[in-house]
Structures are given as C-alpha cells and as structure tokens.
Amino acid sequence: MSKYAIGIDFGTGSGRVVVIDVKTGEIAGSHVTEYKHGVISSTLAYSDKELKRDTALQHPQDYLDVLEQSIPQSLTNAKVNSADVIGIGLDFTACTILPVNESLEPLCFDPKWQVEPNAWVKLWKHHAAQEQANRINTLAKERKEEWIQRYGGIISSEWMLPKVLEIMEDSPDVYDETTYFIEAADWLTSLMTGTLKRNSCAAGFKGVWNEKDGYVSKEFLKALHPSLENIYDSKLAGEVVSIGEKAGNLVAQFAEKIGLQAGTPVAMGMIDAHAGVPGAGVTSPHKMVLVMGTSTCHMLLSDKERLVEGISGVVKDGIIPNYYAYEAGQAAVGDIFAWFTKESVPAYVNENAQKQGKSIHQYLEELAQNLEPGSNGLLALDWHNGCRTPLVNSDLSGVITGLNLSTKPEEVYRALIEATAFGTKMIIDTFQQQDINIEELVACGGLPQRNKLFMQIYADVTNMPIKVSNSDITPAIGSAMYGAVVAGSKNGGYDTISEAAKQMVPSGGTKYYPNEENVKQYRVLYKEYKKLVEYFGKGKNDVMKLLKNF
Amino acid sequence: MSKYAIGIDFGTGSGRVVVIDVKTGEIAGSHVTEYKHGVISSTLAYSDKELKRDTALQHPQDYLDVLEQSIPQSLTNAKVNSADVIGIGLDFTACTILPVNESLEPLCFDPKWQVEPNAWVKLWKHHAAQEQANRINTLAKERKEEWIQRYGGIISSEWMLPKVLEIMEDSPDVYDETTYFIEAADWLTSLMTGTLKRNSCAAGFKGVWNEKDGYVSKEFLKALHPSLENIYDSKLAGEVVSIGEKAGNLVAQFAEKIGLQAGTPVAMGMIDAHAGVPGAGVTSPHKMVLVMGTSTCHMLLSDKERLVEGISGVVKDGIIPNYYAYEAGQAAVGDIFAWFTKESVPAYVNENAQKQGKSIHQYLEELAQNLEPGSNGLLALDWHNGCRTPLVNSDLSGVITGLNLSTKPEEVYRALIEATAFGTKMIIDTFQQQDINIEELVACGGLPQRNKLFMQIYADVTNMPIKVSNSDITPAIGSAMYGAVVAGSKNGGYDTISEAAKQMVPSGGTKYYPNEENVKQYRVLYKEYKKLVEYFGKGKNDVMKLLKNF
C-alpha cells in the first residue's frame, strides 16, 4: 500500500496542496484555491475608509478555505484515502502575522473589530511599519545590540516587531485586546494541533529569535517602548520549535473540516522560500540555493556559525535540522529586467520580437547570446533597488559605464545580466571569506527556467556548476517532505529530511557548466566590478546617496 | 544706392550664396546649389573599384557649380546689379583638400588621374588617414614637439598632414604629379584672384601652422618620412595670410563665369564654423560661441596666448584679426540624443509623442522641463564618443549613475542634457584657469533653436546668460562681413570686422538667463560630475579603456 504526505504552500494570492507518494515522489494529486479576498490595500469590505499607504492586508478565512477545499479536492484528484496520509507539512509567506484571541480566533472575525485595519492579517509585503523599523534599527545601533549583526545590521519593516509596534501605536485598543500576535504559518499549525507553537524558521528569520540567546532583551524592548518590555512573555509568548519537529497531531474537530484523519502528524510550518531548499534537494552544506524572481534570495546551510557581512539572517535549525541556515539577498534581479524592458527598450526591438513571435526577453536573450562577455565595453552595477548583501545600503543605485554611440539594447541587457551575476559572485565571496565553502548552485524560480543565457552567465561568472530545479512547486514538496519526516519511518515516512530528499525530490532539471574561456574573461570583468563596488559602495564617493536625497 | 557683399558658405552637401545689404544687414537674396556628386564613399564614377573604408571624397566641379549657378541666381533673386557688389567672402568645411597642378587645376579633372581616388578632393570627414595621424602623434610625443601642445597633444586624421601622407604612401604617382595640396577654400580664392594664398584659419587649425613659428620643423618632417622634409617649400608652399586680409581682386576670366565684375575684392577664405563667429556677432573676447550639432565646437577670442588643456587649437588671427582664436570641443552632443532616442526610448514614448503630434525630442523635452535638476538621483558623463576638451581621450565612454526601478526615459534625457552642459562648464573652467575670462555664451546651430530646455540648463549650469543666434546661416553672414571688410569704408564697406558686425549681424535671437535656484543646485551636481571625471577620466580607474579593448 502506498503512503502519502501532504504539503501545503501558502503564497501571496493562493494556496496549493500537493499529495505526494512518499516512496516514489510522484505527485498523486494537487489543488489550488485562490484567496477570495486577495491582497487588501485600498479599503476593507466593512468600511469606506481609505487604508494608509503601503498597507497590505489579508483575510484569514482565505487560508482556512485553502485547507477546507484543496485538501479534500487534492485527495479526490489523487484517488487517495485520508487513512493513507501519514503526515502534513505547510509553508507560508513571512512575516505574515495576525492578532488572535485566547482561542486563537482572529480578532477580525469579531464584528467589533472588523472595521479596524490593524485587526486583520498583515501580509509580508505590508510596508507601513517603516517608521517603526527605522526606530528599531536606530536604537539597536545606538545600543550596539549584538543580535542585529545576525541580520546585516538592519531589520526590515516587513518583520514581526515593527508590525506589532505599528499596531500598538496605531490602534492601542486592538493591541490591548490581542492575546497573541502570530505568524500565519504558526496560527494554522496551532489550530490543527490545538497547541500554540512558533516555528524556528520564521522566528529566526523574521522575529529576531536566536537558538542560543532567544529573543531581544527586555532592556532593549523597554527602551523601544515601555509597554513592550514583557511582550515575549505575553503577546509573543509560545515555545519556539525547530524545523523538522512535530507541531502535534491533527485534532478531531479540525481533521473533520479538512477531510483528514484525526491524529495525523503535523510538521512545524516554515517560510515558503525556505521550504523550497529541501524541496530542491538541498539538505546539506556547500550548495547555495538561489530563489530567483523579482529579487534573489540566497540560502545556504553550514555547520558553522559566522558573522557574514550583510546577510538577511542566520538561524540554527532554520531550514534543516542541525545546520545553521543562512539567508542572503540581492534586492533586485528580475525587477531590473522588467524595468529595462519597460523603460529602456526601443520600439524596433518590440516590433522585431513580435514579428518573430517571441517575447522581448526571448528576443534580447537570443541577440545577447551571440555577444562576448563585457560586450561593447559595458559594465554595470546591479543596485537599481539598493544593495542587500553584503553592503545593506538602500541608498545605492544602478550604474552603467561604457556607453557609446553604437551601444545596442541587447548589449545593455547582457551587461545587466552580468551585473546581477557579479552581485551573486560577491555574495558567494562574502561567505567564503568566512570559511563557509560553496561548491555548487541550485536555482529555483521562473527566471532560471526561462532564461538559459542567464544561467550560463551565472555558471561562467561564479565558475560553478548550476542546477536549475525543474519543479515550480519546490516549497510544497519541501513541506510534504517534512510531513513524511514527522510521520517517521515506522509509519512509512522517513526519520531524516535527507532520507526524504532521496525519494521525494523530483529528478531531472538542467545543469549548466562553466565555459573555461568565459570564466577567464569574467575573472577580469569581476575585478572591475569590485572596483566600482569599492568606489561607489564603500564611502569613496557618496554621490548615490547625495543624489537620492537631492 | 545700396551696396552689397556676397558670402558663400560651402557645406558638406551643398553651397549657399547670400547677398547682403551692407548698411542694413538685410539678406537681399540667396541661393543654394546642391553638390551633384554629394559625398563619394563607395565607388568613383570612373572605376568599379570599391573605395577603402572611411573614405569620403568630393568632386571639385561641384564647388565651381555653386559659384557659377548660385552667384548669378542670388543676384537675380536680390535684384542686385553686380556693379553694386563691393566684396566677396567665402568659408568652407575643413580640412577639405585637393591635389592640383601648376595651373591650380585639380588632378582629378585629368582623365589620366580620374580613376585614382587619391586624386580627388578628400572631404573633412575622410577618416582613412587614421594610421598616419597615429604615427604623427606618436612621433610628436616621442620628440616632445611643442607645437602639438597647441592642439591638446593630438592631431586628427582629418587634418592636412595625415591626408597628404596618406596620398604619398597610397599613390606615390599622384603625390609626385601634384604641384600643390590645397584647402578647398584656398583653391577657390586662389582661382578667383589668380594668386596662391593660404588662409591662417585653416592653416592654423588644420595645418599645424603658427603665426610665430610657422609650420613644423624639417627635422620632424624628415623623421616622419624622408620625402616630406621640404614639403612646406614645395607641395604645401604658399604664403599664409591672415583672416580679414584681402586674397586679391577677382580676375576677369573668373568674374565672367560667375557673373561678377572683374576687380571685385575677395577676402581670404576660412573654415565654415569659424566664419560663424563674426556671423553671430562675436568679434571680441569674453563671449564663447557654441556651435552645437552632432558635436559641439567652442570658439573664443582672447588677447592672450595660453596653453589650454585639451583644446583643438589656438591660432593668432584665426577668426578675427589681432586676437588669438581658441577652439575647443565636445566629441558628442546631438549625437548622444540621436543615439538615446534610437536605442533607449521605449515604444510607449513614441506612441504618446505621436498621439500629441510631437517629435520624440519635443515630447521628452516637455516632460523633462517639469523635473528638478538631478531628477530621480541621476548623474551622467557625456563621453559617449570620448572626451575632446580637456582630456583628449577617445577611450573614455558614457556613464549613467543613479538608475533605479522607477527611472523614466525623460529623467535620463534630462540627465544627459545636464551632462553635456557640465561638459561645457568644464571647458569654460579650463579656459578660466588660464586666466581667459568668459562672461557670456552665444549658441548657434539647429539644436539651440529647437530645444529651450537645453539652453536653460546650459544657462543654469554655467551661470551665464546664453544668447541663441536666430540665424541658420551665420557662416555665410560672417563671410559676407569679411567681403565688406576687404572692400573697405572707402568703397561703402567697413574697415574693421566689428564695425561690420554692428550693421550686418541679424538682431534678435532668444536670450536665456540663469535661474538662481537652479544655479545653486547645479553647483552641487557639477562638483559630483567633476568627481566622476577625476575618477574615470584621470587614471584612477581605467575601466573604460580596459573594456573598450577587451
């Protein structure tokens, strides 16, 4: 009899459930439920009041709908009986939080609070707490707080603490009424299992928690705001549990709603991108996972804990048990090309692409493929949205040098790809300088699958093989893998995530190898890239900051 | 009875004759003759042989046609009798040269030589002598020749000496058969007057002649090529005569052909752009003339002789008698915007412009007009075709810094205008550092008349008023003015060019004044521009050169 694990991936606009055969890795069935309320950023359904700028809310019922609709539906599609489901795992966007009462019921379900924006889910991309984030960063810097070094010296407005502070300052009554502020991932696993637990992945990467030191100190919290002093004993209380551990077993009441058997083991939830790491087959050190989309997120496992310059976070057990999980990032990658094709590609390129039945990207990629590295003298800096790792400086901006009267759009296109590859190479170097070795790259996301030139240039610039995952749903797979792990081998699952990976990760996927000639050329160009980084990025010429604030 | 002066302006594709009322400045008549043979760059009419790369030849008959057709025609148009024409002046593109025999007949008129490309007129933009120019520059540098400092340390492949050397090396028989190599301007005035003379403007700016030291030394010439040692006593012989002097009087035979009276005084010819200086009303120091087109040529008079960094030339009596005439330049101006609109302006801008019935330039200008200086954090270097003055470095290239995901085409457009204005400001500074003062700018050419924003930004960046000449034919007017000067006051003309200017320069023309607020902002931005110049242009980072030759 085949056994199955369920993986549930909650994205920004929908949730996906997959049912995977634990032994063969076959995806027996899957189902997607779109969020009925989507992203709420202008007005709530219960009030005409305009939401403030940078607001991004969601409706928690949408998440429950995913469970209630897509789990039964995907089992039906898979022709799998709920008795053969041995475990469940889930992942969620983060930091996506909501205020709940003692019974873990969302405040916004209460008619009393439903007109109040701060009572709703604040989606990861809710950016209205920037002012609060700034204050936290300034205070941490002033107080020379050690913990902020784990986050490259800066935390984002997207994270737990700024969002909670925003609620407290904007809506003290909502704040007072709240029993817990909780990550949506943890809310769901807690509901499923009847016990409040917080996952180490979101706590570590978005909640300034650390396995040795715990959360930030009461002194810091008090200095930030007197009412916050004891927040980790109250509204943010709850045991932090490592990824790979069991959240609990499915409680009967909830099991019925979602068409599963009571007692089914539920894995701790985790962040969606991070679940993609085991989903792409990476469960041990030396392989860097690049999740490439509008920006790139770099994830890496290591048995060493090091202070790496400008990383987004380092969390013990944050992705794979027993390893330090590192996250780094480039602030814009796909976004640069979206901007370029929108604002800088001439009409004749559009026309030629159309004539050949190609997208602008395909067309430019083909032309750029025939060019040499550093074609027509161009060299760019990929800081169009600032630099995350290693410089952590949002005042930086993009540069193109080498323009001349014969410069063609496909040459600029290639130079921009090269620049983002140099940016990744610089992140790799930053890790390697801390003795954290990287030998191979694994790329996930739509961009690596679509653009071969992109991948070849990354292989050539980094002088490393790069494997492109051929799955679009690596996070759901990773979550299902953890479902199989919390079931354990006794129940037909696995005892470790690396054993699960051997059977459950889809095989195949294109691999790109460095071209020796190009590697040599890019070695020279990368030196020049670093010179410009040194000049514009390290205080020798602050023109970017000056002009940004001009 | 009104008296008239004739000005003849020989351009790249046609020649224009104007008949000007000497007392009122009214243009009584004018006529243009297109060159029948245009620019010859692929094959000669007499041979199927492909011309070598960068060749640009012309047919001297085309120039004679201008005189023979446009002079009578313009007199007819003006209803002016040839007896009332008191003087003639002409200007020509330079260095445009031809080999002639003892009777000043072009070699290419001889059926024996007409199949030989080197027997034809080499137009100013004939660039096939680059290799020869390189050798001259290298030798001058090795020998530490002082004269090359007057030309910013480098002479162009367009000039007399490289072109003559090219003919000698490519076609020794043509070289041997040639009695004189001569500028087209001097060829025509010599034909008209029956005496071979060479004008100080072309000799100084394109022929490495200097009023104190004469031509380059025989030692240098010998080192360059043994056969060249005595060339200035033979094939380049001929008195160099100052601008403003009379070439002679029109000889009967020629007068008849062109419908003028024998004995009419003929002024020394000059370079077309340089004739535009008096034509725009500038006959004294402290006003810089900007001839703005694909590139910008900066011309300035002074009573001081100084070594100014990277100028294109300094010639005593080169434009106006008794003054040192300085020429400086920016290698690309209009060309940058032609490139930008062709290769970097997205389709939606084209569509919007079309909808509004505007050219892309008009449309972008209007959008850019509403932006602040340094809009959206952009700063550019205008080196898309290298830097002429002051750096004289063709390995330099264009830069844009400050790009971000919201950067719009009109912002880049404005940043590029600002960059070219900073380039001009840097040239002004270079003169002022040598104690050559500049107080006002005068702009000629199509670009200044079309683009108000361009002019306002130049006024704001330089903090100087800038007057835009409202005439498209300033060279022809300047030539006619010299025609009136060689006639002299006794014959109804003028004794000095500044007296001629008072009556003959068209009044009107828009004047732009600096905006105080913008001046302050541009002071800050210009400092940043200079920092980038220092970094990329003065050896601190040679990435542009490295990449150009990658």
Side-chain angles (χ1 to χ4, degrees):
Chain A
M1 263 318 266
S2 295
K3 295 292 175 191
Y4 298 88
I6 283 182
I8 315 164
D9 169 43
F10 289 89
T12 298
S14 64
R16 169 190 301 271
V17 173
V18 297
V19 179
I20 303 185
D21 184 317
V22 170
K23 288 298 166 233
T24 66
E26 186 210 350
I27 294 170
S30 75
H31 189 262
V32 173
T33 297
E34 302 287 332
Y35 300 158
K36 239 187 276 172
H37 305 85
V39 178
I40 304 162
S41 54
S42 49
T43 52
L44 288 168
Y46 307 91
S47 157
D48 289 338
K49 224 179 121 187
E50 192 84 16
L51 296 172
K52 69 178 172 182
R53 211 177 142 218
D54 291 330
T55 291
L57 308 179
Q58 289 203 317
H59 196 315
Q61 184 59 48
D62 289 344
Y63 310 147
L64 298 174
D65 288 352
V66 172
L67 300 178
E68 290 170 23
Q69 290 167 23
S70 286
I71 291 180
Q73 196 60 56
S74 58
L75 288 176
T76 308
N77 294 347
K79 296 184 182 121
V80 165
N81 193 304
S82 64
D84 294 321
V85 174
I86 59 169
I88 317 170
L90 68 83
D91 63 83
F92 216 108
T93 64
C95 168
T96 295
I97 65 155
L98 64 163
V100 297
N101 67 17
E102 231 182 329
S103 334
L104 298 183
E105 193 163 319
L107 253 64
C108 60
F109 283 1
D110 184 341
K112 188 178 151 199
W113 296 111
Q114 67 191 11
V115 297
E116 174 47 69
N118 282 299
W120 292 79
V121 176
K122 287 192 196 289
L123 185 61
W124 66 276
K125 67 174 177 179
H126 173 90
H127 287 135
Q130 187 58 55
E131 198 265 313
Q132 285 79 7
N134 294 346
R135 268 189 282 149
I136 294 169
N137 289 325
T138 305
L139 184 65
K141 206 177 164 189
E142 277 171 15
R143 292 174 48 97
K144 300 193 172 71
E145 294 283 338
E146 263 181 45
W147 55 268
I148 201 135
Q149 293 315 313
R150 295 198 307 271
Y151 304 104
I154 201 166
I155 75 163
S156 158
S157 68
E158 293 178 4
W159 292 13
M160 178 67 94
L161 212 47
K163 277 174 171 158
V164 168
L165 189 53
E166 183 202 3
I167 296 172
M168 189 184 76
E169 294 180 334
D170 269 22
S171 308
D173 44 355
V174 170
Y175 184 81
D176 289 342
E177 186 79 5
T178 300
T179 309
Y180 300 113
F181 295 103
I182 188 164
E183 284 277 357
D186 296 329
W187 176 57
L188 290 175
T189 56
S190 300
L191 277 183
M192 286 175 171
T193 61
T195 333
L196 173 67
K197 288 180 183 169
R198 297 178 186 270
N199 76 80
S200 62
C201 178
F205 284 110
K206 312 288 176 182
V208 292
W209 170 87
N210 175 263
E211 85 27 90
K212 264 186 296 198
D213 307 330
Y215 290 107
V216 301
S217 70
K218 291 193 179 193
E219 292 73 33
F220 178 82
L221 290 165
K222 198 175 161 189
L224 182 60
H225 195 293
S227 312
L228 285 179
E229 182 174 1
N230 295 308
I231 193 164
Y232 288 108
D233 304 326
S234 54
K235 295 178 200 292
L236 289 174
E239 189 194 352
V240 177
V241 177
S242 284
I243 296 306
E245 298 287 307
K246 197 158 85 170
N249 296 319
L250 198 55
V251 294
Q253 200 193 349
F254 207 90
E256 201 179 332
K257 276 196 215 170
I258 62 176
L260 289 176
Q261 307 258 327
T264 308
V266 178
M268 288 304 297
M270 62 193 297
I271 305 174
D272 52 353
H274 300 59
V277 173
V282 174
T283 57
S284 60
H286 311 314
K287 286 184 192 180
M288 180 179 258
V289 176
L290 275 57
V291 184
M292 302 179 80
T294 55
S295 58
T296 291
C297 171
H298 308 70
M299 283 176 292
L300 182 64
L301 305 169
S302 176
D303 40 24
K304 297 169 195 158
E305 188 179 24
R306 293 280 188 278
L307 274 186
V308 181
E309 198 188 343
I311 52 171
S312 311
V314 49
V315 179
K316 176 85 187 295
D317 305 330
I319 297 177
I320 302 289
N322 302 318
Y323 289 118
Y324 290 94
Y326 289 87
E327 186 189 334
Q330 280 173 278
V333 178
D335 272 349
I336 294 179
F337 299 91
W339 162 78
F340 178 71
T341 51
K342 182 172 168 232
E343 299 291 358
S344 200
V345 165
Y348 78 84
V349 170
N350 291 276
E351 285 157 22
N352 290 349
Q354 212 164 9
K355 262 184 231 159
Q356 299 182 21
K358 290 169 187 156
S359 75
I360 298 178
H361 288 284
Q362 277 178 305
Y363 178 75
L364 287 173
E365 185 198 348
E366 280 182 28
L367 290 179
Q369 208 143 21
N370 299 321
L371 302 172
E372 295 288 305
S375 50
N376 204 346
L378 293 174
L379 181 65
L381 287 180
D382 54 320
W383 293 343
H384 295 62
N385 193 24
C387 176
R388 174 69 222 195
T389 310
L391 302 179
V392 195
N393 188 344
S394 60
D395 285 329
L396 298 178
S397 54
V399 174
I400 304 181
T401 66
L403 295 165
N404 64 62
L405 299 172
S406 73
T407 301
K408 305 292 284 178
E410 61 270 24
E411 292 165 348
V412 179
Y413 189 78
R414 187 176 176 118
L416 290 172
I417 298 177
E418 291 171 348
T420 68
F422 294 142
T424 283
K425 165 82 173 143
M426 194 162 67
I427 291 173
I428 292 171
D429 284 2
T430 307
F431 278 103
Q432 293 191 327
Q433 277 152 19
Q434 294 302 326
D435 209 23
I436 296 173
N437 197 27
I438 298 163
E439 288 163 6
E440 191 179 329
L441 306 178
V442 178
C444 311
L447 204 157
Q449 285 175 30
R450 279 194 307 271
N451 197 316
K452 287 179 185 175
L453 176 63
F454 223 97
M455 289 301 96
Q456 187 58 53
I457 289 177
Y458 272 57
D460 293 342
V461 164
T462 60
N463 195 15
M464 285 183 195
I466 180 163
K467 190 187 151 192
V468 176
S469 165
N470 64 346
S471 170
D472 293 333
I473 55 164
T474 46
I477 294 169
S479 288
M481 286 161 67
Y482 273 121
V485 167
V486 292
S489 60
K490 273 184 290 188
N491 299 307
Y494 300 100
D495 292 327
T496 66
I497 190 74
S498 55
E499 282 164 29
K502 277 178 210 150
Q503 305 301 326
M504 292 176 74
V505 172
S507 60
T510 318
K511 204 160 177 179
Y512 295 83
Y513 295 92
N515 168 309
E516 220 173 291
E517 194 47 49
N518 291 352
V519 167
K520 270 188 226 159
Q521 292 188 277
Y522 281 127
R523 206 167 281 150
V524 179
L525 292 174
Y526 177 57
K527 257 192 205 163
E528 298 301 321
Y529 175 86
K530 280 198 296 185
K531 268 191 215 162
L532 293 183
V533 167
E534 194 71 29
Y535 181 67
F536 285 112
K538 297 192 175 173
K540 290 203 177 141
N541 186 338
D542 280 336
V543 61
M544 290 171 178
K545 186 175 182 178
L546 183 140
L547 280 174
K548 194 155 191 167
N549 305 308
F550 195 62
Chain B
M1 263 314 271
S2 296
K3 296 291 176 193
Y4 299 88
I6 283 182
I8 315 164
D9 169 44
F10 289 88
T12 298
S14 64
R16 170 190 300 271
V17 172
V18 295
V19 179
I20 304 186
D21 184 318
V22 170
K23 287 300 165 232
T24 65
E26 186 210 350
I27 294 171
S30 75
H31 190 263
V32 173
T33 297
E34 302 285 332
Y35 300 158
K36 237 186 277 172
H37 305 85
V39 177
I40 304 161
S41 53
S42 49
T43 52
L44 289 169
Y46 307 91
S47 156
D48 289 338
K49 222 180 124 189
E50 193 83 17
L51 295 173
K52 69 178 172 181
R53 213 178 141 215
D54 292 330
T55 291
L57 308 179
Q58 290 203 317
H59 196 316
Q61 184 59 48
D62 288 344
Y63 310 146
L64 298 174
D65 288 351
V66 171
L67 300 177
E68 290 170 24
Q69 291 167 22
S70 286
I71 291 179
Q73 197 59 55
S74 59
L75 288 175
T76 306
N77 294 348
K79 296 185 184 120
V80 164
N81 193 303
S82 63
D84 295 322
V85 174
I86 60 169
I88 318 170
L90 68 83
D91 62 84
F92 216 108
T93 64
C95 166
T96 296
I97 64 155
L98 65 162
V100 297
N101 67 17
E102 231 183 330
S103 334
L104 301 181
E105 194 162 318
L107 252 65
C108 61
F109 282 2
D110 184 341
K112 187 180 153 198
W113 296 112
Q114 65 191 9
V115 297
E116 173 48 70
N118 282 298
W120 292 79
V121 175
K122 288 193 194 290
L123 186 60
W124 65 275
K125 66 175 177 178
H126 173 90
H127 286 135
Q130 188 58 55
E131 197 263 314
Q132 285 77 8
N134 294 346
R135 269 189 282 149
I136 294 169
N137 289 325
T138 305
L139 184 64
K141 205 177 165 188
E142 278 170 15
R143 293 175 47 98
K144 300 194 171 68
E145 295 283 337
E146 264 181 43
W147 55 268
I148 202 135
Q149 293 315 313
R150 295 198 308 270
Y151 305 104
I154 201 166
I155 75 162
S156 158
S157 68
E158 293 179 2
W159 293 12
M160 179 67 95
L161 211 46
K163 277 174 171 158
V164 168
L165 189 53
E166 182 203 4
I167 297 171
M168 190 184 76
E169 295 179 336
D170 270 23
S171 307
D173 44 355
V174 170
Y175 183 82
D176 288 343
E177 187 80 4
T178 299
T179 309
Y180 300 112
F181 295 104
I182 188 165
E183 284 278 355
D186 297 328
W187 176 58
L188 289 176
T189 56
S190 299
L191 277 183
M192 285 175 172
T193 62
T195 332
L196 173 67
K197 288 180 182 168
R198 298 179 186 268
N199 76 81
S200 61
C201 178
F205 283 109
K206 312 287 176 183
V208 293
W209 170 88
N210 175 263
E211 88 19 272
K212 265 189 294 196
D213 306 330
Y215 291 107
V216 302
S217 69
K218 291 194 179 192
E219 290 73 32
F220 177 83
L221 291 166
K222 198 175 160 188
L224 183 60
H225 195 293
S227 311
L228 285 178
E229 183 174 2
N230 295 307
I231 193 163
Y232 288 109
D233 303 326
S234 53
K235 294 178 200 292
L236 288 173
E239 188 194 353
V240 178
V241 177
S242 285
I243 295 307
E245 298 286 307
K246 198 158 84 170
N249 297 319
L250 198 54
V251 294
Q253 199 195 348
F254 208 89
E256 200 179 333
K257 277 195 214 170
I258 62 176
L260 289 175
Q261 307 257 326
T264 308
V266 178
M268 287 305 297
M270 61 192 299
I271 305 176
D272 51 355
H274 299 60
V277 173
V282 174
T283 57
S284 59
H286 312 312
K287 287 183 191 179
M288 180 180 257
V289 176
L290 274 59
V291 184
M292 302 177 80
T294 54
S295 58
T296 291
C297 171
H298 307 70
M299 284 176 291
L300 181 65
L301 305 169
S302 175
D303 40 24
K304 298 169 194 158
E305 188 178 25
R306 294 278 188 280
L307 274 186
V308 181
E309 198 188 344
I311 52 171
S312 311
V314 48
V315 179
K316 178 85 186 297
D317 307 328
I319 297 178
I320 302 290
N322 303 316
Y323 289 118
Y324 290 95
Y326 290 86
E327 187 188 333
Q330 281 173 278
V333 178
D335 272 351
I336 293 179
F337 299 91
W339 163 78
F340 179 70
T341 51
K342 183 173 168 232
E343 298 292 358
S344 200
V345 165
Y348 78 83
V349 169
N350 291 277
E351 285 158 22
N352 291 349
Q354 211 164 9
K355 265 186 226 156
Q356 298 181 21
K358 290 168 188 156
S359 76
I360 299 178
H361 287 284
Q362 277 179 305
Y363 178 75
L364 287 173
E365 186 198 348
E366 279 183 28
L367 290 178
Q369 208 143 22
N370 299 321
L371 301 172
E372 295 287 306
S375 51
N376 204 345
L378 294 174
L379 180 66
L381 287 180
D382 54 321
W383 294 343
H384 295 63
N385 193 24
C387 176
R388 174 68 221 194
T389 310
L391 302 180
V392 195
N393 187 343
S394 60
D395 284 330
L396 298 178
S397 54
V399 175
I400 304 181
T401 67
L403 294 165
N404 63 63
L405 299 173
S406 73
T407 301
K408 306 290 285 179
E410 60 270 24
E411 292 165 348
V412 179
Y413 188 78
R414 187 176 175 116
L416 290 172
I417 298 177
E418 290 171 348
T420 68
F422 294 142
T424 283
K425 165 83 172 143
M426 194 163 67
I427 291 173
I428 292 171
D429 285 2
T430 307
F431 278 103
Q432 294 191 328
Q433 277 152 20
Q434 295 301 327
D435 208 22
I436 296 173
N437 198 28
I438 298 163
E439 288 163 6
E440 193 179 327
L441 306 178
V442 177
C444 310
L447 204 158
Q449 286 175 30
R450 279 193 308 271
N451 197 315
K452 288 179 185 175
L453 176 63
F454 223 96
M455 289 299 97
Q456 187 58 52
I457 289 176
Y458 271 58
D460 293 342
V461 165
T462 60
N463 195 16
M464 285 183 197
I466 180 163
K467 191 187 151 192
V468 176
S469 165
N470 64 345
S471 169
D472 292 334
I473 55 164
T474 47
I477 294 169
S479 289
M481 287 162 66
Y482 273 121
V485 166
V486 293
S489 61
K490 275 186 286 185
N491 300 308
Y494 300 99
D495 292 329
T496 65
I497 189 75
S498 56
E499 282 164 29
K502 277 177 209 151
Q503 304 301 325
M504 292 178 73
V505 171
S507 59
T510 318
K511 202 160 177 178
Y512 295 84
Y513 295 91
N515 168 308
E516 220 175 290
E517 195 46 50
N518 291 353
V519 168
K520 269 188 226 159
Q521 292 188 277
Y522 280 128
R523 206 167 280 152
V524 179
L525 292 174
Y526 178 57
K527 257 192 205 164
E528 298 301 322
Y529 175 87
K530 280 198 295 184
K531 267 191 216 163
L532 293 184
V533 167
E534 193 71 29
Y535 182 65
F536 286 111
K538 298 191 175 175
K540 289 200 177 143
N541 186 338
D542 280 335
V543 61
M544 290 171 179
K545 186 175 181 178
L546 183 140
L547 280 174
K548 194 155 189 167
N549 306 308
F550 196 62

